[in-house]
Amino acid sequence: MAKRYPPISGKLPVFMHGADYNPDQWLHAPDVLKEDIRLMKLSHSNVMAIGIFAWAALEPEEGVFTFEWLDLALDEFAANGIYAWLATPRAARPAWMSQKYPEVLRVGANRVRNLHGARHNHCYTSPVYREKVRIMNEKLAERYAHHPAVVGWHISNEFGGECHCDYCQDAFREWLKRKYGTLEALNHAWWNAFWAHTITDWAQIQSPAPHGEMAVHGMNVDWRRFVTDQTIDFYRWEEAPLKAANPALPATANMMDLFDGLDYWKFAEAVDVVSWDAYPTWHADESEAGVASWFAFNHDLFRSLKGKPFMLMESTPSLTNWQPVSKLKRPGMHKLSSMQAVAHGSDTVQYFQWRKSRGSSEKFHGAVVDHVGHEHTRVFRDVTEVGETLERLSGEVLGADTDAKAAIVFDWDNRWAIRDAQGPRNMGVHYEQTVVQHYRAFWELGISVDVVSRHAEDLSKYKLVVAPMMYMLDEAAGRRFEAYAAGGGTLVTTYWSGIVDENDLCHLGGFPGPLRKTLGIWSEEIEGLHPHDANGFVYGGVAYESHELCDLIHSEGAEVLATYESDFYAGRPALTVNRFGKGKAYYLATRAKEPFYERFYAELAAEAGVPRVLESPLPAGVTAQARTDGENEYVFVMNFSGSPQTVALDGRAYVDLETGAPVSGELALPTHGIRMLKR
């Protein structure tokens, strides 16, 4: 049942709008703070993330703390109706610490300790580093946990990376002891009889190394799980003194675009609210649909991690300085891309950065305030427009739910295991791209989607669940998908599913393992195709091309909907459906090319009763998303096609959220245009 969630902070019960702010870079120019306050208010910004890389400014030498500049900034915020996500500065430690305590620096997989520098160059396990972080965070909590300007804690910045030092090796071994209990259980799970890799002493275990062991797949996936758990353990350590001082303040850690290194399903359990940093590469092609659908998937993923509104913690108000080509946002794109996040469930629009740095590696990264230092720029006007729009939407859209009836399965350990698999196509099976390819069909159709883990306990709220390339499928997850289909759900999965268990051991007795009965098929072989190879199938009288992977399957009760057109397996099933209990289970045996997916999912959605946001057709590159509180629906119609478009409304009563005027008939959408409606 759709509902309205409370605001992220009761201190600021509106859409948050602001940026990363680094007054510590301008301590030599005290007038900058006063001017920044004026510009923040002018741009309709109401919140800043402050202090993210400020450790050297807060503790310039060991045990010497200089909080006066931060006191001044936060007091000025409070006096001017501006709020702060106060960051812990742990993402970049000061040079004195690296010099005095070299153990805080990370050790790479090559077992070489890093020099001082960069960001996140620290060991999560180091007792010295943990102690220094505890001291800093206790000081921050004691001073600011009840400051009127502080709405929450921004824990460090973009967690990621791993350390292979002796502390981390010991921690990994202890993690394995807790998981397996005995070496016998570990050796079986890792299949260590292969290549005589049997472990006879816990001390023999080393993390994966380029000059050591990297071919034990069970160990590789366990190491990545350990890195996630150790990172979360450090997060909780870092958060503890902050929560002890004021449990009411929410805490977050900004995540990244489909980041590979951490299992965000687990990390999300530790934070109070999910936040993430989105940096699309707009304007690389005439149509923005490919980039837009990729980032729409990410927005839906980050909303789904906790099943409630999330925060867009970072985006660029203009360009980046690290993408291959730093394109300026075309007119309209800043509002469109910002509102895209809101459409998919964000209750904030925030930027990196507020004021451009004068030097170092991000001096040309986009910012609200350019080096020129005033408000008379195109970017500042774009930011101000977004701030004004968010103010108008706050009384309506803030906290509204996304009542999706379709879901797509995405898992990190499945992703890691697929990459390790060594076959059937080592040049790339493209798991992430495949998941988003399936997702894009729903995006083009204007169907709201949640992203779920295979471990999701209850799938019953969804009428349609799509699980592409579910290579790693444990028995318990298989039973949940079986129960979902038997209970009346529509399940879709694909080639390279049900191959290994949670330890990356192949299922015996025939693929797709735990789903063989549910799908009514047996997968005998799978073939990898060269880039110049192709196959195809006919579905519903239309021929579609396929590429990359072809699964050779036998029906064991499933109805064959399409067969391969060519090669020695011509006539073998390429698409099947099994009527199972009260529901259905589809199996796509090959990676199809467009336009198969949009047609296929349009038919399945209609049959399963999955609603579109707009029942009228959408032009290519135009999508519609909605948020709802159960009484009103807030519809965002977005044009990523690269050209002007017209969309016919579906006859229901609409009101323009920005003007309050009734809307009917057709919507005219300019290039990079968006209309926000209430019905």
Side-chain angles (χ1 to χ4, degrees):
M1 183 68 180
K3 61 181 180 181
R4 189 178 295 278
Y5 292 88
I8 294 167
S9 170
K11 289 184 177 181
L12 191 56
V14 295
F15 277 106
M16 295 185 183
H17 183 232
D20 278 21
Y21 185 44
N22 302 291
D24 46 300
Q25 295 181 20
W26 300 94
L27 298 182
H28 62 285
D31 289 344
V32 167
L33 175 60
K34 182 178 180 180
E35 177 64 358
D36 281 335
I37 295 290
R38 182 185 74 85
L39 293 172
M40 289 172 191
K41 295 166 75 173
L42 193 63
S43 67
H44 296 257
S45 294
N46 55 24
V47 70
M48 296 286 144
I50 187 170
I52 294 170
F53 300 113
W55 198 327
L58 293 169
E59 190 181 7
E61 53 186 289
E62 187 174 16
V64 177
F65 297 93
T66 52
F67 291 109
E68 293 77 14
W69 64 269
L70 187 53
D71 292 344
L72 178 61
L74 292 175
D75 289 347
E76 286 293 315
F77 280 8
N80 286 275
I82 297 168
Y83 293 85
W85 283 91
L86 182 55
T88 60
R90 192 265 310 157
R93 81 250 60 82
W96 61 257
M97 188 186 301
S98 300
Q99 181 184 39
K100 187 172 181 180
Y101 306 104
E103 74 161 56
V104 306
L105 297 171
R106 280 186 182 166
V107 172
N110 60 1
R111 303 318 193 252
V112 175
R113 192 176 298 278
N114 294 347
L115 299 175
H116 174 79
R119 301 182 299 171
H120 299 290
N121 180 11
H122 42 254
C123 171
Y124 292 136
T125 313
S126 160
V128 169
Y129 195 62
R130 288 191 172 218
E131 178 63 10
K132 293 302 179 185
V133 168
R134 181 193 63 79
I135 293 169
M136 171 57 72
N137 289 7
E138 284 182 347
K139 296 281 187 182
L140 290 170
E142 178 185 356
R143 200 172 189 99
Y144 303 115
H146 295 278
H147 193 285
V150 175
V151 295
W153 298 105
H154 186 309
I155 308 294
S156 187
N157 181 70
E158 296 181 339
F159 277 77
E162 58 191 46
C163 178
H164 297 258
C165 74
D166 289 344
Y167 287 125
C168 291
Q169 301 295 342
D170 288 342
F172 182 41
R173 294 173 192 126
E174 290 302 314
W175 184 93
L176 292 169
K177 288 178 184 177
R178 291 192 298 272
K179 178 173 182 178
Y180 292 108
T182 66
L183 286 173
E184 289 76 15
L186 178 142
N187 281 315
H188 178 76
W190 288 4
W191 210 248
N192 277 339
F194 180 76
W195 282 358
H197 281 353
T198 301
I199 298 294
T200 57
D201 188 319
W202 292 102
Q204 295 167 4
I205 298 171
Q206 292 281 338
S207 61
H211 56 306
E213 184 54 73
M214 297 188 74
V216 176
H217 294 170
M219 180 181 75
N220 291 348
V221 75
D222 271 343
W223 169 254
R224 294 182 177 101
R225 288 166 174 156
F226 161 76
V227 169
T228 290
D229 287 353
Q230 195 71 351
T231 303
I232 293 169
D233 183 74
F234 188 90
Y235 172 91
R236 294 189 186 280
W237 170 274
E238 189 167 3
E239 181 194 57
L242 311 175
K243 288 292 189 178
N246 185 355
L249 279 183
T252 189
N254 50 330
M255 302 178 187
M256 294 172 280
D257 169 14
L258 218 57
F259 180 61
D260 181 70
L262 296 172
D263 184 341
Y264 280 161
W265 287 114
K266 298 186 74 173
F267 203 166
E269 295 174 4
V271 301
D272 295 316
V273 58
V274 168
S275 65
W276 83 287
D277 303 342
Y279 292 102
T281 52
W282 299 123
H283 315 308
D285 299 298
E286 180 179 350
S287 172
E288 311 289 355
V291 173
S293 57
W294 177 276
F295 279 85
F297 174 81
N298 274 272
H299 288 315
D300 284 339
L301 167 66
F302 288 107
R303 183 195 70 247
S304 299
L305 289 177
K306 291 188 83 71
K308 65 180 184 180
F310 64 96
M311 299 175 64
L312 179 62
M313 181 61 81
E314 289 184 23
S315 59
T316 178
S318 55
L319 45 69
T320 69
N321 72 328
W322 47 263
Q323 290 171 346
V325 176
S326 297
K327 293 287 286 186
L328 297 175
K329 282 184 176 178
R330 268 43 190 169
M333 180 51 81
H334 180 61
K335 181 177 180 180
L336 174 60
S337 58
S338 298
M339 292 303 110
Q340 181 192 31
V342 173
H344 287 269
S346 180
D347 276 357
T348 81
V349 174
Q350 296 165 260
Y351 314 115
F352 180 84
Q353 51 191 325
W354 171 255
R355 178 181 286 269
K356 280 188 178 178
S357 301
R358 191 174 181 191
S360 204
S361 66
E362 291 179 319
K363 61 182 179 290
F364 296 123
H365 194 291
V368 180
V369 180
D370 209 329
H371 291 125
V372 70
H374 58 58
E375 68 269 33
H376 306 296
T377 64
R378 182 178 70 96
V379 170
F380 195 92
R381 289 192 295 272
D382 283 352
V383 168
T384 302
E385 182 185 9
V386 167
E388 292 169 341
T389 300
L390 291 173
E391 287 180 358
R392 286 193 289 268
L393 266 56
S394 284
E396 298 277 7
V397 183
L398 185 75
D401 196 5
T402 303
D403 192 22
K405 299 302 181 187
I408 287 188
V409 179
F410 181 87
D411 281 301
W412 266 263
D413 54 359
N414 180 48
R415 177 188 201 181
W416 298 329
I418 285 174
R419 186 180 307 122
D420 252 2
Q422 293 184 267
R425 194 173 187 273
N426 292 328
M427 67 187 304
V429 297
H430 302 126
Y431 170 63
E432 298 89 345
Q433 292 86 345
T434 299
V435 171
V436 176
Q437 184 177 33
H438 285 257
Y439 171 87
R440 182 169 174 176
F442 294 93
W443 183 88
E444 295 276 6
L445 292 163
I447 293 175
S448 297
V449 174
D450 283 347
V451 183
V452 298
S453 164
R454 73 175 186 276
H455 302 296
E457 289 295 331
D458 185 12
L459 298 171
S460 62
K461 67 172 286 190
Y462 303 111
K463 297 181 177 181
L464 174 59
V465 173
V466 182
M469 294 179 70
M470 201 159 44
Y471 171 81
M472 177 172 277
L473 183 68
D474 52 283
E475 293 286 349
R479 288 192 293 272
R480 284 191 290 272
F481 287 112
E482 179 180 301
Y484 167 74
T490 298
L491 175 68
V492 180
T493 191
T494 73
Y495 56 92
W496 215 221
S497 290
I499 308 299
V500 299
D501 68 7
E502 66 275 19
N503 295 315
D504 212 343
L505 294 178
C506 291
H507 288 294
L508 302 180
F511 302 143
L515 287 180
R516 185 171 173 180
K517 181 176 72 171
T518 307
L519 293 164
I521 59 118
W522 166 43
S523 168
E524 181 182 2
E525 297 179 274
I526 188 167
E527 177 172 50
L529 274 60
H530 291 288
H532 59 268
D533 291 339
N535 208 310
F537 57 89
V538 175
Y539 171 66
V542 179
Y544 297 99
E545 189 177 353
S546 69
H547 64 135
E548 293 193 349
L549 292 168
C550 291
D551 202 356
L552 278 59
I553 66 174
H554 302 270
S555 171
E556 295 182 328
E559 178 187 351
V560 177
L561 301 178
T563 58
Y564 287 113
E565 285 190 314
S566 61
D567 219 310
F568 71 92
Y569 42 90
R572 295 275 291 271
L575 175 65
T576 62
V577 61
N578 193 39
R579 285 159 178 81
F580 188 79
K582 298 178 181 178
K584 294 181 178 180
Y586 289 81
Y587 189 80
L588 178 62
T590 182
R591 186 176 185 189
K593 290 188 175 182
E594 304 299 351
F596 168 75
Y597 295 100
E598 188 172 343
R599 176 195 171 185
F600 179 62
Y601 286 120
E603 293 176 357
L604 263 59
E607 181 181 303
V610 177
R612 301 188 190 194
V613 173
L614 291 176
E615 293 302 329
S616 50
L618 296 172
V622 174
T623 188
Q625 295 294 317
R627 296 175 68 171
T628 177
D629 58 11
E631 295 181 5
N632 300 301
E633 292 180 294
Y634 307 100
V635 176
F636 297 74
V637 187
M638 297 168 278
N639 180 14
F640 292 100
S641 70
S643 61
Q645 299 291 342
T646 300
V647 176
L649 293 176
D650 52 18
R652 288 178 279 186
Y654 291 90
V655 172
D656 190 296
L657 275 170
E658 295 194 88
T659 67
V663 182
S664 60
E666 293 184 335
L667 286 180
L669 293 170
T671 303
H672 312 320
I674 179 170
R675 294 291 297 276
M676 293 167 280
L677 311 173
K678 175 181 177 179
R679 72 182 178 208

